[in-house]
Amino acid sequence: MSIAVKPLSPAFVAEVTGLDLRESLTGAAVAAVEDAINQYGVLVFPGQLIDDAQQMEFSRRFGALETTVKLYRKDFVPRLDPHVSDISNLDENNRVRAKDDRLRLNGLGNRLWHSDSSFKRVPARFSLLSARTVPSEGGETQFADMRAAWDALEERKKAFLDGLICEHTQLFSRAKIGFTDWSEEERVRMAPVPQLMVRTHPGSGRKSLYLSSHAGRIRGMEEPEARMLLMDLIEFATEPRFVHTHRWTVGDLVMWDNRCTMHRAREYDETRVRDLHRTTVSDGVPTVAELAA
Ligand code: OGA
Ligand code: MN
């Protein structure tokens, strides 16, 4: 088998075939995947019926994994390994969560455009999402190309944005959907973190907007002005010309680069099971360190 990379959308999304992710990959195969993700922001690996251990092993070839955020209450019983995010509508007994379930309501925030873990000082580099059970309709994931969005900005806008520092927290994104059910301890732990608004993608040398619904303030700017700027930018950067929609099939593994893309989940009939497992490769250093570099 040899690896083949076929564009699904020019310079943004590609399909990768010729690898079996149940097996340990050669260094050359890992390098080929790295080259592909540096060129494209999103890679789709169809037909990969992997388990969590295989997913973790493949993901670790690209760097250290994040552990899931322990923001949850003491009574939270995880369904999966701490290195695997549970992107499902199931509880610890594999039953569909109730309408008013707190984790379900919090999880609805994934339907806002975001970049994973931008609310952490050291955010996510790659996310790898594996489809285990999917509904027959709906529940797509959409991706937006933040390098293309940057390229399309007017020069005047680019000069204004470059160097700005935003503050990100899940408190901002969840407040947008009216989710405010946090304990005092959780609020303290979710203090905003600084992130660059404009990043240079090391693998391609291209500049990119670094946006996320977790962003709610910009240093040196009044809050309403910052909020409006962020809303306008997200609206611009998610115009259809920058967006690709992925319709899930069981066995799909989708890998994306959070440094230069945003994504969001789409609505589906939540009486059906939707079970996806995510591993997340940490970016290693805070984005603001790029300013010093
Ligand atoms: C994620 C995420 C979107 C979806 O896994 O990080 O935002 O479609 N998922 O479930
Ligand atoms: Mn996400």
Side-chain angles (χ1 to χ4, degrees):
M1 276 206 297
S2 71
I3 178 166
V5 179
K6 182 182 96 184
L8 299 177
S9 133
F12 182 40
V13 184
E15 183 181 83
V16 181
T17 52
L19 294 175
D20 183 347
L21 303 185
R22 293 170 303 183
E23 311 282 334
S24 171
L25 296 193
T26 63
V30 172
V33 172
E34 270 176 346
D35 285 348
I37 195 117
N38 280 330
Q39 184 180 350
Y40 301 94
V42 183
L43 300 178
V44 179
F45 301 77
Q48 303 288 351
L49 297 168
I50 50 173
D51 62 22
D52 288 355
Q54 290 159 342
Q55 184 173 344
M56 287 190 278
E57 192 195 331
F58 174 61
S59 305
R60 284 195 171 107
R61 300 297 295 275
F62 304 98
L65 298 188
E66 285 188 355
T67 46
T68 45
V69 209
K70 304 245 172 14
L71 286 173
Y72 305 114
R73 310 260 161 105
K74 313 258 178 307
D75 57 1
F76 170 65
V77 185
R79 204 169 60 98
L80 307 173
D81 183 280
H83 296 94
V84 184
S85 297
D86 190 351
I87 310 295
S88 79
N89 58 343
L90 301 174
D91 67 13
E92 66 275 18
N93 300 311
N94 288 315
R95 278 194 302 252
V96 168
R97 288 184 184 276
K99 277 268 184 210
D100 63 349
D101 182 290
R102 182 174 178 269
L103 283 181
R104 168 183 178 267
L105 297 174
N106 184 15
L108 289 175
N110 272 347
R111 280 163 50 187
L112 297 168
W113 286 107
H114 65 281
S115 176
D116 286 334
S117 301
S118 75
F119 52 83
K120 294 185 185 173
R121 255 194 113 68
V122 176
R125 179 177 301 173
F126 301 126
S127 294
L128 299 96
L129 190 58
S130 160
R132 309 299 171 85
T133 308
V134 292
S136 53
E137 301 176 75
E140 301 87 352
T141 305
Q142 292 186 306
F143 296 93
D145 186 347
M146 296 296 105
R147 295 184 291 193
W150 169 262
D151 290 345
L153 286 171
E154 301 151 46
E155 293 307 317
R156 180 183 61 86
K157 205 63 177 280
K158 288 181 180 168
F160 174 72
L161 298 175
D162 209 354
L164 292 181
I165 296 175
C166 305
E167 293 186 356
H168 295 231
T169 161
Q170 279 189 298
L171 292 171
F172 291 147
S173 52
R174 271 36 183 189
K176 289 181 186 172
I177 58 168
F179 183 94
T180 53
D181 180 12
W182 306 109
S183 67
E184 215 27 61
E185 189 199 346
E186 285 169 324
R187 281 176 204 279
V188 169
R189 275 198 280 176
M190 292 195 297
V193 301
Q195 301 292 4
L196 290 187
M197 161 85 89
V198 180
R199 303 180 66 180
T200 302
H201 184 259
S204 61
R206 293 178 66 186
K207 278 197 172 178
S208 173
L209 282 170
Y210 187 55
L211 296 172
S212 191
S213 293
H214 306 307
R217 285 192 207 128
I218 299 173
R219 293 205 175 153
M221 212 178 271
E222 294 300 324
E223 195 150 327
E225 195 181 352
R227 292 279 179 125
M228 271 324 307
L229 175 60
L230 288 164
M231 279 193 267
D232 282 348
L233 281 173
I234 290 181
E235 186 178 322
F236 171 77
T238 58
E239 284 178 14
R241 59 184 162 145
F242 305 124
V243 172
H244 175 84
T245 300
H246 181 72
R247 291 193 173 74
W248 291 97
T249 300
V250 169
D252 287 345
L253 177 93
V254 178
M255 174 176 183
W256 64 87
D257 189 330
N258 287 291
R259 297 170 295 187
C260 59
T261 64
M262 280 200 293
H263 61 280
R264 66 171 177 181
R266 303 302 277 158
E267 176 280 329
Y268 66 102
D269 174 358
E270 285 186 63
T271 63
R272 310 278 155 169
V273 175
R274 183 177 189 265
D275 184 13
L276 298 102
H277 295 195
R278 192 186 87 203
T279 38
T280 317
V281 176
S282 170
D283 204 19
V285 288
T287 65
V288 285
E290 286 175 30
L291 283 182

Short mmCIF file of all heavy atoms in Angstrom, two decimals, residues 84-138:
data_model
loop_
_atom_site.label_atom_id
_atom_site.label_comp_id
_atom_site.label_asym_id
_atom_site.label_seq_id
_atom_site.Cartn_x
_atom_site.Cartn_y
_atom_site.Cartn_z
N VAL A 84 -8.80 10.86 25.61
CA VAL A 84 -9.79 10.79 24.52
C VAL A 84 -11.00 11.62 24.91
O VAL A 84 -11.65 11.37 25.93
CB VAL A 84 -10.20 9.32 24.23
CG1 VAL A 84 -11.16 9.26 23.05
CG2 VAL A 84 -8.98 8.45 23.96
N SER A 85 -11.29 12.65 24.10
CA SER A 85 -12.47 13.48 24.37
C SER A 85 -13.70 12.78 23.84
O SER A 85 -13.71 12.29 22.70
CB SER A 85 -12.37 14.83 23.67
OG SER A 85 -11.29 15.55 24.16
N ASP A 86 -14.72 12.81 24.66
CA ASP A 86 -15.96 12.14 24.33
C ASP A 86 -16.86 13.10 23.55
O ASP A 86 -17.52 13.96 24.13
CB ASP A 86 -16.63 11.71 25.64
CG ASP A 86 -17.81 10.79 25.40
OD1 ASP A 86 -18.22 10.63 24.23
OD2 ASP A 86 -18.32 10.25 26.40
N ILE A 87 -16.86 12.96 22.23
CA ILE A 87 -17.70 13.83 21.39
C ILE A 87 -18.93 13.00 21.01
O ILE A 87 -19.07 12.55 19.87
CB ILE A 87 -16.91 14.32 20.15
CG1 ILE A 87 -15.55 14.90 20.52
CG2 ILE A 87 -17.73 15.34 19.34
CD1 ILE A 87 -15.58 16.17 21.36
N SER A 88 -19.76 12.75 22.01
CA SER A 88 -20.94 11.92 21.75
C SER A 88 -22.12 12.49 22.52
O SER A 88 -21.97 13.41 23.32
CB SER A 88 -20.69 10.48 22.24
OG SER A 88 -20.84 10.41 23.65
N ASN A 89 -23.29 11.91 22.29
CA ASN A 89 -24.45 12.30 23.08
C ASN A 89 -24.80 11.20 24.09
O ASN A 89 -25.96 11.05 24.46
CB ASN A 89 -25.65 12.64 22.18
CG ASN A 89 -26.06 11.49 21.28
OD1 ASN A 89 -25.30 10.55 21.07
ND2 ASN A 89 -27.27 11.56 20.75
N LEU A 90 -23.78 10.44 24.51
CA LEU A 90 -24.00 9.30 25.40
C LEU A 90 -23.48 9.57 26.81
O LEU A 90 -22.50 10.30 26.99
CB LEU A 90 -23.27 8.07 24.84
CG LEU A 90 -23.70 7.64 23.44
CD1 LEU A 90 -22.81 6.51 22.95
CD2 LEU A 90 -25.17 7.24 23.42
N ASP A 91 -24.14 8.93 27.79
CA ASP A 91 -23.63 9.02 29.17
C ASP A 91 -22.76 7.79 29.46
O ASP A 91 -22.51 6.97 28.57
CB ASP A 91 -24.79 9.18 30.16
CG ASP A 91 -25.68 7.94 30.23
OD1 ASP A 91 -25.29 6.87 29.71
OD2 ASP A 91 -26.78 8.05 30.81
N GLU A 92 -22.33 7.66 30.71
CA GLU A 92 -21.39 6.58 31.06
C GLU A 92 -22.01 5.19 30.91
O GLU A 92 -21.29 4.19 30.89
CB GLU A 92 -20.82 6.80 32.46
CG GLU A 92 -21.80 6.70 33.61
CD GLU A 92 -22.55 8.01 33.90
OE1 GLU A 92 -22.57 8.91 33.02
OE2 GLU A 92 -23.12 8.12 34.99
N ASN A 93 -23.34 5.12 30.78
CA ASN A 93 -24.00 3.82 30.54
C ASN A 93 -24.37 3.64 29.07
O ASN A 93 -25.21 2.79 28.75
CB ASN A 93 -25.25 3.70 31.42
CG ASN A 93 -24.89 3.80 32.89
OD1 ASN A 93 -23.97 3.12 33.35
ND2 ASN A 93 -25.57 4.66 33.63
N ASN A 94 -23.76 4.48 28.21
CA ASN A 94 -24.04 4.44 26.77
C ASN A 94 -25.50 4.71 26.43
O ASN A 94 -26.02 4.21 25.44
CB ASN A 94 -23.58 3.11 26.15
CG ASN A 94 -22.07 3.03 26.08
OD1 ASN A 94 -21.42 4.00 25.66
ND2 ASN A 94 -21.50 1.94 26.51
N ARG A 95 -26.14 5.50 27.29
CA ARG A 95 -27.51 5.92 27.00
C ARG A 95 -27.50 7.36 26.52
O ARG A 95 -26.69 8.18 26.99
CB ARG A 95 -28.38 5.79 28.25
CG ARG A 95 -28.87 4.34 28.46
CD ARG A 95 -29.98 4.31 29.50
NE ARG A 95 -29.54 4.87 30.77
CZ ARG A 95 -29.30 4.14 31.87
NH1 ARG A 95 -29.49 2.84 31.88
NH2 ARG A 95 -28.90 4.73 32.98
N VAL A 96 -28.40 7.67 25.58
CA VAL A 96 -28.50 9.03 25.06
C VAL A 96 -28.81 9.99 26.21
O VAL A 96 -29.68 9.72 27.04
CB VAL A 96 -29.59 9.07 23.96
CG1 VAL A 96 -29.95 10.50 23.60
CG2 VAL A 96 -29.13 8.30 22.72
N ARG A 97 -28.09 11.09 26.27
CA ARG A 97 -28.29 12.05 27.36
C ARG A 97 -29.64 12.75 27.25
O ARG A 97 -30.13 13.01 26.15
CB ARG A 97 -27.18 13.11 27.34
CG ARG A 97 -25.84 12.58 27.78
CD ARG A 97 -24.78 13.67 27.85
NE ARG A 97 -23.49 13.08 28.20
CZ ARG A 97 -23.08 12.82 29.45
NH1 ARG A 97 -23.85 13.11 30.49
NH2 ARG A 97 -21.91 12.26 29.67
N ALA A 98 -30.20 13.07 28.41
CA ALA A 98 -31.50 13.74 28.46
C ALA A 98 -31.37 15.17 27.93
O ALA A 98 -30.30 15.76 27.94
CB ALA A 98 -32.01 13.76 29.90
N LYS A 99 -32.49 15.74 27.48
CA LYS A 99 -32.56 17.11 26.96
C LYS A 99 -31.91 18.13 27.88
O LYS A 99 -31.26 19.08 27.42
CB LYS A 99 -34.04 17.51 26.79
CG LYS A 99 -34.66 17.02 25.50
CD LYS A 99 -34.50 18.09 24.43
CE LYS A 99 -35.17 17.69 23.13
NZ LYS A 99 -34.46 18.29 21.99
N ASP A 100 -32.14 17.97 29.19
CA ASP A 100 -31.67 18.99 30.14
C ASP A 100 -30.33 18.60 30.78
O ASP A 100 -29.88 19.23 31.73
CB ASP A 100 -32.73 19.21 31.23
CG ASP A 100 -32.96 17.94 32.05
OD1 ASP A 100 -32.45 16.86 31.65
OD2 ASP A 100 -33.64 18.03 33.08
N ASP A 101 -29.68 17.56 30.26
CA ASP A 101 -28.39 17.11 30.81
C ASP A 101 -27.35 18.23 30.67
O ASP A 101 -27.18 18.81 29.59
CB ASP A 101 -27.96 15.88 30.03
CG ASP A 101 -26.66 15.28 30.54
OD1 ASP A 101 -25.60 15.92 30.34
OD2 ASP A 101 -26.71 14.19 31.11
N ARG A 102 -26.67 18.51 31.77
CA ARG A 102 -25.73 19.64 31.78
C ARG A 102 -24.61 19.48 30.74
O ARG A 102 -24.23 20.44 30.06
CB ARG A 102 -25.14 19.79 33.18
CG ARG A 102 -24.19 20.96 33.31
CD ARG A 102 -23.74 21.16 34.75
NE ARG A 102 -22.80 22.25 34.82
CZ ARG A 102 -21.48 22.10 34.72
NH1 ARG A 102 -20.95 20.91 34.54
NH2 ARG A 102 -20.69 23.17 34.78
N LEU A 103 -24.08 18.28 30.61
CA LEU A 103 -22.99 18.09 29.65
C LEU A 103 -23.48 18.19 28.21
O LEU A 103 -22.76 18.65 27.33
CB LEU A 103 -22.30 16.74 29.88
CG LEU A 103 -21.35 16.72 31.07
CD1 LEU A 103 -20.70 15.36 31.19
CD2 LEU A 103 -20.29 17.81 30.95
N ARG A 104 -24.72 17.76 27.99
CA ARG A 104 -25.30 17.94 26.65
C ARG A 104 -25.40 19.43 26.34
O ARG A 104 -25.01 19.87 25.26
CB ARG A 104 -26.69 17.29 26.57
CG ARG A 104 -27.43 17.71 25.32
CD ARG A 104 -28.84 17.17 25.20
NE ARG A 104 -29.42 17.68 23.98
CZ ARG A 104 -30.16 18.80 23.89
NH1 ARG A 104 -30.47 19.49 24.97
NH2 ARG A 104 -30.60 19.22 22.72
N LEU A 105 -25.92 20.20 27.28
CA LEU A 105 -26.12 21.65 27.04
C LEU A 105 -24.78 22.34 26.82
O LEU A 105 -24.63 23.16 25.92
CB LEU A 105 -26.90 22.26 28.21
CG LEU A 105 -28.32 21.69 28.38
CD1 LEU A 105 -28.97 22.24 29.64
CD2 LEU A 105 -29.18 21.99 27.15
N ASN A 106 -23.79 21.99 27.62
CA ASN A 106 -22.45 22.54 27.45
C ASN A 106 -21.90 22.16 26.08
O ASN A 106 -21.35 22.99 25.36
CB ASN A 106 -21.56 22.01 28.58
CG ASN A 106 -20.17 22.60 28.55
OD1 ASN A 106 -19.92 23.59 27.87
ND2 ASN A 106 -19.25 22.00 29.27
N GLY A 107 -22.11 20.90 25.70
CA GLY A 107 -21.59 20.39 24.42
C GLY A 107 -22.22 21.07 23.20
O GLY A 107 -21.63 21.06 22.12
N LEU A 108 -23.39 21.67 23.37
CA LEU A 108 -24.00 22.39 22.25
C LEU A 108 -23.10 23.54 21.79
O LEU A 108 -23.21 24.00 20.65
CB LEU A 108 -25.38 22.94 22.64
CG LEU A 108 -26.49 21.88 22.80
CD1 LEU A 108 -27.77 22.54 23.30
CD2 LEU A 108 -26.76 21.15 21.49
N GLY A 109 -22.21 23.97 22.67
CA GLY A 109 -21.24 25.01 22.31
C GLY A 109 -20.34 24.60 21.15
O GLY A 109 -19.75 25.45 20.48
N ASN A 110 -20.23 23.30 20.87
CA ASN A 110 -19.43 22.84 19.72
C ASN A 110 -20.06 23.24 18.40
O ASN A 110 -19.44 23.09 17.35
CB ASN A 110 -19.27 21.31 19.75
CG ASN A 110 -18.06 20.89 20.56
OD1 ASN A 110 -17.22 21.72 20.91
ND2 ASN A 110 -17.96 19.62 20.86
N ARG A 111 -21.30 23.74 18.45
CA ARG A 111 -21.93 24.20 17.21
C ARG A 111 -21.58 25.66 16.91
O ARG A 111 -22.01 26.20 15.89
CB ARG A 111 -23.44 23.96 17.28
CG ARG A 111 -23.72 22.49 16.95
CD ARG A 111 -25.06 21.97 17.34
NE ARG A 111 -26.18 22.79 16.93
CZ ARG A 111 -27.43 22.55 17.31
NH1 ARG A 111 -27.71 21.52 18.11
NH2 ARG A 111 -28.40 23.34 16.91
N LEU A 112 -20.79 26.27 17.79
CA LEU A 112 -20.23 27.60 17.48
C LEU A 112 -18.87 27.38 16.81
O LEU A 112 -18.13 26.46 17.19
CB LEU A 112 -20.00 28.39 18.78
CG LEU A 112 -21.22 28.72 19.61
CD1 LEU A 112 -20.79 29.22 21.00
CD2 LEU A 112 -22.05 29.80 18.91
N TRP A 113 -18.53 28.25 15.86
CA TRP A 113 -17.21 28.14 15.23
C TRP A 113 -16.12 28.29 16.29
O TRP A 113 -16.16 29.22 17.10
CB TRP A 113 -17.05 29.25 14.19
CG TRP A 113 -17.83 29.02 12.93
CD1 TRP A 113 -18.96 29.68 12.54
CD2 TRP A 113 -17.52 28.08 11.90
NE1 TRP A 113 -19.38 29.20 11.32
CE2 TRP A 113 -18.52 28.21 10.89
CE3 TRP A 113 -16.51 27.13 11.70
CZ2 TRP A 113 -18.53 27.44 9.73
CZ3 TRP A 113 -16.53 26.36 10.55
CH2 TRP A 113 -17.52 26.52 9.57
N HIS A 114 -15.15 27.38 16.26
CA HIS A 114 -14.07 27.46 17.25
C HIS A 114 -12.81 26.74 16.76
O HIS A 114 -12.83 26.01 15.76
CB HIS A 114 -14.53 26.86 18.59
CG HIS A 114 -14.82 25.38 18.52
ND1 HIS A 114 -16.00 24.87 17.99
CD2 HIS A 114 -14.08 24.30 18.88
CE1 HIS A 114 -15.97 23.55 18.05
NE2 HIS A 114 -14.82 23.17 18.57
N SER A 115 -11.76 26.97 17.52
CA SER A 115 -10.51 26.23 17.34
C SER A 115 -10.31 25.52 18.68
O SER A 115 -10.45 26.13 19.74
CB SER A 115 -9.39 27.23 17.05
OG SER A 115 -8.16 26.55 16.96
N ASP A 116 -9.97 24.22 18.65
CA ASP A 116 -9.95 23.45 19.88
C ASP A 116 -8.94 23.97 20.90
O ASP A 116 -7.80 24.30 20.55
CB ASP A 116 -9.67 21.96 19.59
CG ASP A 116 -10.88 21.28 18.98
OD1 ASP A 116 -12.01 21.74 19.21
OD2 ASP A 116 -10.69 20.28 18.26
N SER A 117 -9.40 24.02 22.15
CA SER A 117 -8.56 24.38 23.29
C SER A 117 -7.93 25.77 23.17
O SER A 117 -6.90 26.02 23.79
CB SER A 117 -7.45 23.34 23.53
OG SER A 117 -8.02 22.07 23.75
N SER A 118 -8.56 26.66 22.40
CA SER A 118 -8.02 28.03 22.36
C SER A 118 -8.22 28.71 23.72
O SER A 118 -7.64 29.75 23.98
CB SER A 118 -8.67 28.85 21.24
OG SER A 118 -9.98 29.23 21.58
N PHE A 119 -8.99 28.07 24.59
CA PHE A 119 -9.18 28.60 25.96
C PHE A 119 -8.09 28.11 26.90
O PHE A 119 -8.11 28.39 28.09
CB PHE A 119 -10.57 28.20 26.51
CG PHE A 119 -10.84 26.72 26.39
CD1 PHE A 119 -10.36 25.84 27.34
CD2 PHE A 119 -11.55 26.23 25.30
CE1 PHE A 119 -10.58 24.47 27.21
CE2 PHE A 119 -11.77 24.86 25.17
CZ PHE A 119 -11.30 23.98 26.13
N LYS A 120 -7.13 27.31 26.36
CA LYS A 120 -5.97 26.91 27.17
C LYS A 120 -4.78 27.76 26.75
O LYS A 120 -4.63 28.07 25.57
CB LYS A 120 -5.63 25.43 26.93
CG LYS A 120 -6.69 24.45 27.40
CD LYS A 120 -6.15 23.03 27.22
CE LYS A 120 -7.21 22.00 27.56
NZ LYS A 120 -6.76 20.63 27.23
N ARG A 121 -3.93 28.08 27.70
CA ARG A 121 -2.71 28.87 27.40
C ARG A 121 -1.93 28.23 26.27
O ARG A 121 -1.47 28.90 25.37
CB ARG A 121 -1.81 28.91 28.65
CG ARG A 121 -1.83 30.21 29.38
CD ARG A 121 -0.68 30.28 30.38
NE ARG A 121 0.26 31.30 29.96
CZ ARG A 121 0.00 32.60 29.94
NH1 ARG A 121 -1.17 33.05 30.33
NH2 ARG A 121 0.91 33.47 29.55
N VAL A 122 -1.75 26.92 26.39
CA VAL A 122 -1.13 26.16 25.31
C VAL A 122 -2.27 25.43 24.59
O VAL A 122 -2.82 24.47 25.10
CB VAL A 122 -0.11 25.14 25.86
CG1 VAL A 122 0.46 24.29 24.72
CG2 VAL A 122 1.01 25.86 26.60
N PRO A 123 -2.65 25.92 23.43
CA PRO A 123 -3.84 25.35 22.79
C PRO A 123 -3.51 24.08 22.00
O PRO A 123 -2.41 23.55 22.09
CB PRO A 123 -4.28 26.48 21.86
CG PRO A 123 -3.05 27.23 21.54
CD PRO A 123 -2.10 27.07 22.70
N ALA A 124 -4.49 23.61 21.25
CA ALA A 124 -4.33 22.37 20.47
C ALA A 124 -3.65 22.66 19.15
O ALA A 124 -3.89 23.68 18.51
CB ALA A 124 -5.68 21.75 20.23
N ARG A 125 -2.80 21.74 18.72
CA ARG A 125 -2.25 21.80 17.36
C ARG A 125 -3.16 20.98 16.43
O ARG A 125 -3.91 21.53 15.65
CB ARG A 125 -0.83 21.26 17.33
CG ARG A 125 -0.22 21.28 15.94
CD ARG A 125 1.22 20.81 15.94
NE ARG A 125 2.03 21.66 16.81
CZ ARG A 125 3.31 21.40 17.11
NH1 ARG A 125 3.90 20.33 16.63
NH2 ARG A 125 3.99 22.21 17.89
N PHE A 126 -3.17 19.68 16.61
CA PHE A 126 -4.02 18.83 15.76
C PHE A 126 -5.14 18.21 16.59
O PHE A 126 -4.93 17.84 17.75
CB PHE A 126 -3.22 17.68 15.15
CG PHE A 126 -2.06 18.11 14.30
CD1 PHE A 126 -0.78 17.63 14.55
CD2 PHE A 126 -2.24 19.01 13.25
CE1 PHE A 126 0.30 18.02 13.76
CE2 PHE A 126 -1.17 19.41 12.46
CZ PHE A 126 0.11 18.91 12.72
N SER A 127 -6.30 18.06 15.98
CA SER A 127 -7.36 17.23 16.54
C SER A 127 -7.60 16.10 15.57
O SER A 127 -7.53 16.28 14.35
CB SER A 127 -8.65 18.03 16.72
OG SER A 127 -8.47 19.05 17.70
N LEU A 128 -7.88 14.92 16.13
CA LEU A 128 -8.16 13.74 15.30
C LEU A 128 -9.48 13.15 15.79
O LEU A 128 -9.60 12.75 16.95
CB LEU A 128 -7.04 12.70 15.42
CG LEU A 128 -5.65 13.21 14.95
CD1 LEU A 128 -4.82 13.70 16.12
CD2 LEU A 128 -4.91 12.13 14.19
N LEU A 129 -10.47 13.17 14.91
CA LEU A 129 -11.82 12.79 15.32
C LEU A 129 -12.24 11.55 14.54
O LEU A 129 -12.21 11.54 13.31
CB LEU A 129 -12.77 13.97 15.06
CG LEU A 129 -14.19 13.91 15.61
CD1 LEU A 129 -14.22 13.71 17.12
CD2 LEU A 129 -14.94 15.22 15.26
N SER A 130 -12.62 10.52 15.29
CA SER A 130 -12.92 9.20 14.70
C SER A 130 -14.40 8.90 14.87
O SER A 130 -14.94 8.98 15.97
CB SER A 130 -12.05 8.18 15.44
OG SER A 130 -12.54 6.88 15.30
N ALA A 131 -15.06 8.55 13.78
CA ALA A 131 -16.50 8.31 13.80
C ALA A 131 -16.78 6.85 14.12
O ALA A 131 -16.43 5.96 13.35
CB ALA A 131 -17.12 8.69 12.46
N ARG A 132 -17.43 6.61 15.27
CA ARG A 132 -17.75 5.24 15.70
C ARG A 132 -19.22 4.90 15.41
O ARG A 132 -19.53 3.80 14.98
CB ARG A 132 -17.45 5.09 17.19
CG ARG A 132 -16.05 5.55 17.61
CD ARG A 132 -14.94 4.73 16.93
NE ARG A 132 -13.62 5.29 17.17
CZ ARG A 132 -12.88 5.02 18.24
NH1 ARG A 132 -13.33 4.22 19.18
NH2 ARG A 132 -11.68 5.56 18.37
N THR A 133 -20.11 5.84 15.67
CA THR A 133 -21.54 5.68 15.32
C THR A 133 -22.02 7.05 14.86
O THR A 133 -21.73 8.05 15.53
CB THR A 133 -22.38 5.24 16.54
OG1 THR A 133 -21.78 4.08 17.13
CG2 THR A 133 -23.81 4.91 16.15
N VAL A 134 -22.72 7.09 13.74
CA VAL A 134 -23.20 8.39 13.25
C VAL A 134 -24.68 8.30 12.85
O VAL A 134 -25.13 7.24 12.40
CB VAL A 134 -22.37 8.93 12.07
CG1 VAL A 134 -20.96 9.30 12.51
CG2 VAL A 134 -22.32 7.96 10.90
N PRO A 135 -25.41 9.40 13.02
CA PRO A 135 -26.81 9.40 12.59
C PRO A 135 -26.87 9.39 11.06
O PRO A 135 -25.91 9.79 10.39
CB PRO A 135 -27.35 10.72 13.15
CG PRO A 135 -26.15 11.59 13.34
CD PRO A 135 -24.99 10.69 13.58
N SER A 136 -28.00 8.94 10.51
CA SER A 136 -28.09 8.84 9.05
C SER A 136 -28.19 10.20 8.38
O SER A 136 -27.87 10.34 7.20
CB SER A 136 -29.27 7.95 8.66
OG SER A 136 -30.43 8.43 9.30
N GLU A 137 -28.65 11.19 9.13
CA GLU A 137 -28.71 12.55 8.57
C GLU A 137 -28.20 13.54 9.61
O GLU A 137 -28.36 13.31 10.80
CB GLU A 137 -30.15 12.99 8.33
CG GLU A 137 -30.99 12.21 7.42
CD GLU A 137 -32.39 12.81 7.43
OE1 GLU A 137 -32.57 13.88 6.82
OE2 GLU A 137 -33.27 12.23 8.09
N GLY A 138 -27.72 14.67 9.14
CA GLY A 138 -27.28 15.75 10.03
C GLY A 138 -26.00 15.40 10.76
O GLY A 138 -25.36 14.39 10.48
#
